[in-house]
Amino acid sequence: GEVKNDKASIAHIPLGAWVAFSLRMALGEEAGEPYELTLTCEGKKLFSGRLPKKDAAFQTLERLVLFGQEQVRGRFYVDGLELTVK
């Protein structure tokens, strides 16, 4: 499958692969900063970079939503979810 930022593809995930997503973002007064995203599949980095936030007014994290717009039938399995506040 494709991982996209807006309409641009940033990584391709092989079907059936387990992928680790690491997401770091500033909240509160530093909310306008870009966020950092790293995608790793079987020890290989598929993507690592800073992406702009859509809305600088986003300052608090109230929920985590995972969804997919697959072109083929698929499933998400979430394992080892960790939320750390620093």
Side-chain angles (χ1 to χ4, degrees), residues 45-58:
K45 279 191 183 175
L46 300 178
F47 176 84
S48 184
R50 295 169 59 89
L51 300 170
K53 288 188 181 172
K54 293 253 187 205
D55 187 349
F58 172 60

Side-chain angles (χ1 to χ4, degrees), residues 1-2 5 8 31 33 44 48 58 70-71 73 78-80:
E2 296 296 319
N5 178 40
E33 296 292 320
K44 177 183 174 189
S48 184
F58 172 60
E70 301 94 6
Q71 295 178 358
R73 290 181 55 94
V78 178
D79 182 27

